[in-house]
Amino acid sequence: MTTTRSSSSLIDEANSLIPGGVNSATRNIGYPYAFSRAEGAYLTDLDGRRYVDYHAAFGAILLGHSDERVNAAAAETLGQIDLVGLGTTELEVECARLVAELIPSVEMSITTMSGTESTFQAVRLARGVTGRKYLLKFQGCFHGWHDAVARNVASPADKLYQRDPLSSGILDDALDSTLVAEFNDLESVKELYERYPDQIAAVILEPVPHNVGALLPERSFLEGLREITRANGSVLIFDEVITGFRHAPGGYQQIVGVTPDLTTYGKSMGNGFAVAGMGGSAELMSQFSSAKGDVLLAGTFNGNPVSMAAAIETMKLISDPEVGFHDHVYRLGDRMRAGLREITERHSIPAVVTGIGSVFITYFLEGEVRGYKDLLRNNDRAYAMFHRRMTDAGFVMYPMTLKRNHISGAHTDADIDATLEAADEVLGAMAKEGVFA
Ligand SMILES: Cc1ncc(COP(=O)(O)O)c(C=O)c1O
C-alpha cells in the first residue's frame, strides 16, 4: 500500500479510533512505529526511514518479511478455495502430516489461529482427560492472554510466585487454579506436587522461556519434569509457540530429546500468516469432541486454506536442508552473540550475552542466569535504553526490558556487521555516560 501520510498523522488518527492507537498493548512503545513496508530483514516507516528488524513481529517472522515463496503459496490457494467450514481439505491434511513428521511428540494435531487458542485448548484438554483442577506454570513464562495462564511473567521481586495477574477481570478461581514454580528448579515443582497431590492436571512451560529473554533450560530440569509428570499422572505441555520451528524443525524438544505429552506452536509456523496449533499422541488428541471425546473443539477459522498454505510452505522451507535455514540463522546468531560479548567486554560493561540460534539478547547483570530470580539483577533501565537507542539508530530491537531479538533467514552478514558497529557506538556512549556504574 503506498501512502503519502506521515507516521505522526497516522498515529494521531489511530489514537482517536483504536484504544492507545494499537491492536495489542505491547505495540504501544512510543515514536516512531507506523509502518508501510516490511520486506526481508527490513521495515520502512511512513516517513520513509528503513530499519533492520530484529523484533520480527514478536518472533512470527522466520524466513524474512513478505517471503515470496510463502506469499506465492498463499496467493495460489486464494485463487482456488477460501473458507468452507465443512469437512476437511487437502491442505489441512498436508499441514497435519508435516507437523507430525517434524515434531517428535505429535501424532495428531489441530490448527488454531493463535498461540493463545493453542494453549487454551491444551490446558482444557489436560483438565478434561485428568479431571483435575490445577495447572502448574513457571515464573517468567507467557502462554497467551486467557485466564488460566495470564499471570506471573515479568513479576517484580515482591510478587514472585505470588498472585500477579496480567489483567484485571480474571476470576479469582481461575487465577488461583494456576500454581507458579521457578524455572530450572525441580524442588519448587516437587513442593507444589507435595502440596497438591493428585490435583495437578498439567505442567506447562516454554522449554526456553523467551518471554523474559532466554533462560536456557538444564537438560536435567526438563528430564525431571518429564519424570515427575509421568509419575503423577499429569500432562506435560511444551509451549513451543516461540521455540517451535525456530530452533529446529521439530522445536526445542528435538534438540533436547525430551518428549512432552502435548505441544503448542504458532507464531512463525506461517511466517507471519495467522496460524497456530497443538498436537500430541493420537490417544490424547482423540479426546476432542471432533473424535470420540468430550473436550470441545471449535473455531470458524481453524484450518483456513490461506493459513494452511502459508504454514505448509514455511514448514517445507525451514526443514529443507538445501534451503539451510537453521544453519544460516545459527551462524549469524553465533556471530551476533560473539560480537556483542566482545563489545561489552571491551567497554567493561557487566553483561551476559545469551540466546540460542536466531535469538540473541544482552542482559546487563553480573553472575550467571539460571532462573527468573536471577533476572531481578538485570539493569532494566540499561536494557530498555540499549534497545531504544539501537532502534533510533535504525536497528529495531523492542525497546522494553527483557524483550528478545530475532534473526531471520533474510538477514545477511552485512546486517550483522552494521548492527555490531551501531551497538559498539551505543554501548560505548552508555558506558561513558555511567549507565552501568
Ligand atoms: C510462548 C508463547 N505462548 C503463547 C503465546 C500467545 O500467542 P498469540 O499471541 O499468538 O496468541 C505467546 C505470545 O507471545 C508466546 O510467546
Side-chain angles (χ1 to χ4, degrees), residues 58 113-119 141-145 206 210-211 239-243 264 266-267 275-276 404:
F58 273 118
M113 294 299 288
S114 69
T116 297
E117 291 168 75
S118 294
T119 60
C141 289
F142 177 69
H143 304 292
W145 48 260
E206 295 178 69
H210 281 309
N211 277 287
D239 179 0
E240 299 232 39
V241 163
I242 296 173
T243 53
T264 56
K267 285 204 194 277
V275 59
R404 67 198 174 273

Side-chain angles (χ1 to χ4, degrees), residues 376-388:
L376 296 176
R377 303 197 311 277
N378 183 47
N379 182 337
D380 290 337
R381 179 172 158 260
Y383 197 109
M385 186 187 282
F386 173 49
H387 278 207
R388 165 68 63 194

Side-chain angles (χ1 to χ4, degrees), residues 49 52 54 336 340 343 346-347 385-386 389-397 414-430:
R49 177 142 197 241
V52 180
Y54 293 108
M336 184 71 94
L340 288 167
I343 291 166
R346 183 156 40 77
H347 292 295
M385 186 187 282
F386 173 49
R389 290 192 188 181
M390 285 301 291
T391 303
D392 289 347
F395 303 87
V396 176
M397 295 188 184
D415 292 323
I416 306 300
D417 291 340
T419 308
L420 289 171
E421 204 176 303
D424 194 5
E425 266 183 42
V426 167
L427 289 170
M430 285 170 64

